[in-house]
Amino acid sequence: MNRFSQFWSNLRSSFWFMPSMIVVASIALAAVLIEPDSVVSDRWLAQWPRLFGAGAEGARGMMSTIAGSMMTVVGVTFSMVLMVLATSSSQYTSRIVRNFIRSRVTQVVLGIFAGNFTYCLIVLRTIRSGDEGAFVPNLAVSFGFVLALCGVGALIFFIHHIASSIQASNIIASVAEETIAAVDRLFPVNLGQGAGDDDADDEQPPRPPSERKWRAVMASESGYIQGVNSEALVRLARDRNTIVWMDHGIGEFVVQNTTLASLALEEPPDQATIDALQATFHISSHRTVVQDAAFGIRQIVDIALKALSPGINDTTTAIMCVDYLTAIMARIAQREIPSSRRYEEGELRVIAKGPSFESLLAETFDQIRSNAKGDVAIMSRMLGAFQTLASLTASPRRRRVLGEQVQWIAELAERSLESAHDRARIDTRLARVREALEAGPALCTGEGQDYKHGENMSEIRNWK
């Protein structure tokens, strides 16, 4: 059942699914509208001769014109889409191309044009002149004219959509919205019962504990781990009375015939166990944001890096990226990231490999910082981001990690800023951020209480 759900999800998200459904609907609509004409066509012609009075040649000419124009528009639309994909890939990053392909607006508009073309072909096939036993489906022909007008409206709307979709602000906001939705869905992760400690978001130890005998299960194919069926993984560990050690986390690349996961078993696992374990991992040729919030962060970081490159040098776009990355990390800062150890009814079932606040923060800011040498605007914006994050978390560990990031910004400014004025600006901002880190969080999740400097941090951690 899970495989069927995955197949159906992939099918629905494919580029051609929506246009195909619209084409099928157009065929059905043509059949429905043609059938009444075969029964009451003469009655309609007598009542509304101006509306339904077209002859066979006139009807055939109109439907042929509409069908030809729709195919021309389809070609123009595809050209516009390809132009947008090429521009976005070179200007921002190739990783956002999938977002354009998955756009429902693009799919629906292409489906409307292809559906109109198909509708006209179906209706044309039924039009006959007098020698063949005259038949003109007047209702279907008239509705074809209405569909042509709808196609013109769809083309105008699509031009507006394309013009707005290639703007940097819309692209970044779209990726950020998808990533925040993934954060809301993933944290805390429902993989058994986590430790429930906010400071337990440590990464998985590098090797399995030596006190147990671990049996490796190899990957059946190479690719990126798009997702893991957590319920099935816990159920597998319970049924086999074992512990599953995840050697690779979601978003990581795994090579065929290398270790995918390990099982704490005395004897090598049977083929059924191996198949069941491999089936819990969904491996594909690319990453997605569904269970991999870090990939959404990666896309925005790539846009920022491209904007900071000497060939483009678009500081404004880079600043927008930092702003939206701050919004994403602010969402994470207020959430609990469970421990790597997952329990079910007090029994350890899975040792997962997942992200930590530290790793996500490094993914967000490390490369941008490395490419921001001498850029006062980016450094100042990143310091503002750290100040915001410091006001949202009470965890000493997370605040320490933020402090390390601030120190690295200070070192970068000292090395790369030659102007005394610029250094003074950064020093002023550094003082404010360090003040915020030393003080208690201004806002905690839950009731929104303020915590001042010197309050008991353990009470803050336990406060809900």
Side-chain angles (χ1 to χ4, degrees):
M1 187 65 181
N2 182 63
R3 287 183 176 274
F4 175 77
S5 300
Q6 184 66 46
F7 170 77
W8 178 245
S9 176
N10 293 338
L11 181 64
R12 290 180 59 189
S13 62
S14 61
F15 177 76
W16 52 268
F17 177 77
M18 183 64 69
S20 299
M21 292 297 99
I22 295 177
V23 169
V24 171
S26 300
I27 295 174
L29 178 64
V32 168
L33 293 180
I34 289 171
E35 186 60 29
D37 273 294
S38 62
V39 179
V40 295
S41 179
D42 294 338
R43 187 189 312 167
W44 284 343
L45 180 60
Q47 291 181 352
W48 299 289
R50 294 184 181 275
L51 185 61
F52 299 112
E57 290 302 321
R60 187 179 289 116
M62 186 175 73
M63 299 308 291
S64 299
T65 301
I66 294 174
S69 62
M70 285 299 107
M71 286 310 297
T72 302
V73 171
V74 167
V76 172
T77 304
F78 266 113
S79 300
M80 294 169 63
V81 171
L82 292 176
M83 178 199 67
V84 169
L85 294 181
T87 302
S88 301
S89 180
S90 61
Q91 184 74 19
Y92 305 112
T93 172
S94 60
R95 270 164 286 281
I96 66 171
V97 170
R98 286 181 54 82
N99 296 340
F100 287 104
I101 294 176
R102 291 186 296 123
S103 170
R104 287 299 184 191
V105 173
T106 302
Q107 295 176 12
V108 169
V109 169
L110 289 175
I112 288 174
F113 297 147
N116 286 356
F117 173 76
T118 306
Y119 177 90
C120 292
L121 290 184
I122 298 298
V123 175
L124 271 173
R125 184 177 178 275
T126 63
I127 298 176
R128 297 187 297 271
S129 59
D131 295 338
E132 302 167 326
F135 175 70
V136 178
N138 292 291
L139 180 61
V141 170
S142 300
F143 198 79
F145 177 74
V146 174
L147 291 179
L149 294 180
C150 293
V152 172
L155 178 61
I156 295 172
F157 172 77
F158 186 68
I159 293 173
H160 167 75
H161 169 73
I162 286 292
S164 61
S165 65
I166 61 176
Q167 296 179 18
S169 57
N170 290 335
I171 294 173
I172 300 168
S174 175
V175 177
E177 182 181 356
E178 186 180 19
T179 306
I180 289 175
V183 170
D184 292 341
R185 187 171 56 251
L186 295 174
F187 301 122
V189 180
N190 290 321
L191 183 56
Q193 299 167 0
D197 184 0
D198 183 60
D199 280 334
D201 55 351
D202 55 329
E203 296 187 35
Q204 181 196 45
R207 294 178 182 174
S210 57
E211 65 268 13
R212 291 180 178 270
K213 197 166 187 178
W214 295 91
R215 304 289 183 174
V217 175
M218 304 303 174
S220 59
E221 58 182 318
S222 298
Y224 291 95
I225 299 177
Q226 285 189 349
V228 177
N229 188 335
S230 55
E231 293 81 6
L233 200 61
V234 172
R235 187 166 58 249
L236 173 68
R238 183 188 64 233
D239 294 344
R240 269 66 172 187
N241 192 27
T242 184
I243 301 173
V244 178
W245 172 281
M246 289 174 55
D247 287 79
H248 296 276
I250 296 173
E252 293 187 11
F253 189 85
V254 61
V255 178
Q256 186 178 18
N257 295 326
T258 60
T259 304
L260 176 65
S262 301
L263 297 173
L265 295 172
E266 291 298 326
E267 299 295 332
D270 56 26
Q271 190 59 44
T273 301
I274 294 174
D275 293 341
L277 180 60
Q278 291 174 340
T280 62
F281 289 82
H282 182 235
I283 300 174
S284 186
S285 59
H286 57 272
R287 297 171 66 181
T288 63
V289 186
V290 178
Q291 291 190 33
D292 185 10
F295 181 58
I297 294 174
R298 178 75 260 165
Q299 292 179 71
I300 301 179
V301 170
D302 286 345
I303 296 174
L305 296 181
K306 186 67 74 74
L308 290 172
S309 64
I312 296 179
N313 195 24
D314 185 1
T315 303
T316 302
T317 297
I319 288 176
M320 279 193 293
C321 291
V322 173
D323 289 340
Y324 278 103
L325 288 170
T326 304
I328 296 170
M329 288 306 302
R331 202 67 159 233
I332 296 173
Q334 302 176 71
R335 292 177 180 266
E336 175 185 318
I337 300 179
S339 167
S340 60
R341 289 167 174 79
R342 313 298 189 212
Y343 296 85
E344 184 188 55
E345 299 177 356
E347 291 289 332
L348 179 62
R349 295 301 184 192
V350 175
I351 303 177
K353 186 172 184 181
S356 65
F357 181 80
E358 182 176 0
S359 66
L360 290 172
L361 191 68
E363 179 82 17
T364 302
F365 293 111
D366 279 0
Q367 286 188 291
I368 296 178
R369 183 185 64 251
S370 299
N371 286 268
K373 296 177 182 178
D375 196 323
V376 180
I378 296 297
M379 293 185 202
S380 180
R381 209 65 160 205
M382 292 176 68
L383 289 173
F386 299 142
Q387 184 174 351
T388 300
L389 297 177
S391 71
L392 294 173
T393 179
S395 166
R397 175 172 179 164
R398 295 184 179 185
R399 295 169 75 82
R400 175 180 58 79
V401 171
L402 289 170
E404 292 174 354
Q405 291 281 344
V406 171
Q407 181 58 33
W408 295 333
I409 291 284
E411 294 173 0
L412 177 66
E414 186 176 352
R415 291 195 315 268
S416 62
L417 295 181
E418 299 178 357
S419 169
H421 174 70
D422 290 342
R423 285 200 301 271
R425 286 179 56 192
I426 293 298
D427 288 342
T428 302
R429 198 61 189 264
L430 280 168
R432 293 177 185 171
V433 179
R434 284 167 175 160
E435 232 178 90
L437 286 169
E438 291 174 2
L443 176 65
C444 284
T445 56
E447 302 297 327
Q449 292 186 354
D450 290 336
Y451 288 92
K452 306 302 181 183
H453 177 63
E455 287 190 316
N456 190 319
M457 293 304 293
S458 63
E459 292 181 1
I460 296 175
R461 287 197 300 270
N462 294 328
W463 178 76
K464 302 291 183 183

